[in-house]
Amino acid sequence: MKKYQFSYWNCQGLAQGVKYLFYYKKIEFEDIKLEDIPTYFGVLRPELSSLTNFPNLPNLKVSDDSDDDSKDGLVITQTNAILRYLAKQHDLNPDDNDDQAQIFVDTINGVLDDLWNKLLPIIFQEAVMKDETRKKSILADLLKFTTQLNNHFKDNKFCSGDKKVTWVDFQALQKLFILKKVSKEIDEMEHIDRFIEDLLGSAEDQDDFRGKFEEANGEIDWLLPSFKSFEGQWGFGKLSEQSYLFP
């Protein structure tokens, strides 16, 4: 049996899609929530550098129950790499002979990355947040991509189609629920809402999975960890406390 130790800052950020996968499949894991910047960069990151050439957060350490030395296990960084590894272990990839499902998964993962890359400058670049012309351009792009996804879910139950939940559904669950806080227009996209409900209802233990989802969006800091330097920014605090970025 494999043991999983998953590390990230104490917020949703780039990690919550992975946690949703763990919750959905009821996989036990050690959830390391980092809060101290000096400790991470001064101690933990150098230790991680001795285990992988790509030290980063989030990261997943995988070992077998029989392993006494963590250096004998796997260390995986980058969210997509972690999700793809877990998908292989827990039957969350499209079926081998379903080319259309695989194309959907890869395409939607790319669209979600595009959405994220459009959103981040508003959060981390003060000049962008103050530039109304740039913000309107970013909103137009966000609406374009979310409309594409809304149209996909009009015709398909999940990201891969109607047949199977796959790893990219958990990326979509996190990112689309956050994007609903960008604008009222995105918030009211009915087929995205239906996808979220269908995914929550497809878990073997629906009540447990829905409870974990509601806890994440009601009690856990969402995009940004609770560092004082982020205070007052959109994306700081609890998702349930956020107003629309574009009223």
Side-chain angles (χ1 to χ4, degrees):
M1 183 177 177
K2 296 186 183 298
K3 295 190 297 185
Y4 299 111
Q5 183 189 83
F6 185 63
S7 299
Y8 192 63
W9 301 114
N10 189 15
C11 66
Q12 290 195 28
L14 298 172
Q16 198 62 37
V18 177
K19 292 184 183 182
Y20 285 153
L21 186 156
F22 279 130
Y23 299 149
Y24 185 90
K25 298 295 284 189
K26 297 188 75 67
I27 302 166
E28 291 187 8
F29 71 105
E30 184 180 1
D31 189 3
I32 306 296
K33 300 174 182 178
L34 304 173
E35 295 185 331
D36 186 70
I37 296 175
T39 298
Y40 171 67
F41 285 102
V43 179
L44 299 179
R45 187 179 174 95
E47 289 178 355
L48 192 62
S49 297
S50 70
L51 302 175
T52 175
N53 290 323
F54 307 100
N56 210 339
L57 292 172
N59 64 71
L60 179 68
K61 295 178 181 177
V62 185
S63 61
D64 293 320
D65 280 339
S66 58
D67 287 347
D68 293 325
D69 189 345
S70 61
K71 292 184 179 180
D72 292 335
L74 295 173
V75 177
I76 311 167
T77 60
Q78 299 294 335
T79 304
N80 283 338
I82 294 168
L83 285 165
R84 289 178 185 275
Y85 170 79
L86 292 171
K88 183 178 180 181
Q89 302 298 314
H90 299 282
D91 190 28
L92 287 168
N93 280 318
D95 294 336
D96 289 340
N97 61 350
D98 194 338
D99 290 340
Q100 182 60 75
Q102 186 63 63
I103 290 168
F104 278 154
V105 164
D106 290 339
T107 300
I108 289 176
N109 185 57
V111 171
L112 292 169
D113 283 345
D114 287 340
L115 279 164
W116 214 240
N117 290 333
K118 292 293 182 182
L119 183 61
L120 291 182
I122 297 180
I123 300 169
F124 290 108
Q125 297 178 28
E126 186 177 357
V128 175
M129 191 63 177
K130 293 179 178 180
D131 186 336
E132 292 302 319
T133 300
R134 180 83 181 276
K135 284 172 63 179
K136 287 179 181 178
S137 175
I138 290 173
L139 175 60
D141 285 336
L142 294 176
L143 288 171
K144 177 182 72 175
F145 290 129
T146 49
T147 298
Q148 291 173 358
L149 291 169
N150 193 54
N151 290 337
H152 174 81
F153 292 126
K154 180 180 179 181
D155 301 322
N156 299 276
K157 188 172 184 179
F158 303 118
C159 290
S160 69
D162 292 325
K163 297 177 183 178
K164 189 176 182 182
V165 171
T166 60
W167 62 270
V168 78
D169 287 301
F170 305 106
Q171 283 281 67
L173 177 62
Q174 181 202 3
K175 291 181 177 179
L176 291 176
F177 198 74
I178 285 175
L179 283 160
K180 285 164 63 66
K181 288 291 187 177
V182 167
S183 77
K184 190 172 187 290
E185 190 170 350
I186 295 175
D187 197 15
E188 293 179 346
M189 290 184 177
E190 61 178 315
H191 305 301
I192 286 176
D193 284 346
R194 196 270 310 147
F195 156 72
I196 291 171
E197 282 301 313
D198 281 350
L199 183 58
L200 293 174
S202 69
E204 183 177 345
D205 190 338
Q206 297 179 27
D207 291 340
D208 180 72
F209 186 51
R210 186 179 294 274
K212 294 287 200 313
F213 173 76
E214 291 174 352
E215 178 185 3
N217 292 298
E219 300 179 19
I220 300 172
D221 291 335
W222 61 310
L223 284 178
L224 301 169
S226 295
F227 302 147
K228 192 170 182 61
S229 59
F230 292 139
E231 195 168 350
Q233 289 183 226
W234 191 82
F236 178 87
K238 311 295 186 289
L239 184 60
S240 58
E241 300 168 349
Q242 301 297 314
S243 57
Y244 290 132
L245 176 60
F246 297 96

